[in-house]
Amino acid sequence: MADMTREQERNELHRAIWAMADELRGGWEFKSYVLGTMFYRYISENLTNYINAVEIEAGNADFDYAKLSDEEAEEARDGLIEEKGFFMLPSELFCNVRAR
């Protein structure tokens, strides 16, 4: 019985969120903007987490890719493109663009 109530509450919340999104969206342009921003944030965080994990595993516990200069990061461009398939300079990361 409790599972059914939780499921109903979750379904109602889901419907309410979609109703609000539909009201705000106003068209495909909004959806494209939001999805693009979400993807940009995801790849920024994915790359940062990947590089930070490699550095921490190598013993550099205080490393933070987002705080590196673009010049320092440039040295890893080719290797990261080969490993991850893409590369972003620290100044281009979502967190740094948002901070500016």
Side-chain angles (χ1 to χ4, degrees):
M1 185 70 135
D3 288 336
M4 186 60 141
T5 303
R6 241 184 264 150
E7 182 71 25
Q8 288 171 334
E9 289 174 353
R10 189 167 49 118
N11 287 339
E12 184 57 36
L13 178 60
H14 187 258
R15 278 191 290 278
I17 290 170
W18 275 108
M20 286 186 277
D22 286 340
E23 189 174 315
L24 291 172
R25 184 171 42 240
W28 177 251
E29 297 81 26
F30 179 80
K31 184 177 180 181
S32 297
Y33 171 77
V34 170
L35 291 176
T37 302
M38 289 173 59
F39 181 70
Y40 167 53
R41 182 177 181 176
Y42 170 78
I43 63 171
S44 292
E45 291 174 354
N46 180 276
L47 182 66
T48 301
N49 292 339
Y50 175 80
I51 295 168
N52 288 348
V54 169
E55 286 294 324
I56 289 168
E57 189 176 305
N60 194 355
D62 296 330
F63 185 84
D64 185 0
Y65 181 68
K67 294 180 181 176
L68 234 55
S69 72
D70 287 354
E71 292 76 26
E72 292 172 307
E74 194 65 55
E75 297 173 13
R77 178 185 291 271
D78 293 336
L80 283 168
I81 290 174
E82 189 173 311
E83 292 171 33
K84 294 290 286 176
F86 67 98
F87 175 79
M88 296 175 78
L89 292 168
S91 65
E92 298 169 341
L93 295 172
F94 181 85
C95 63
N96 290 334
V97 170
R98 185 185 72 207
R100 284 193 306 269

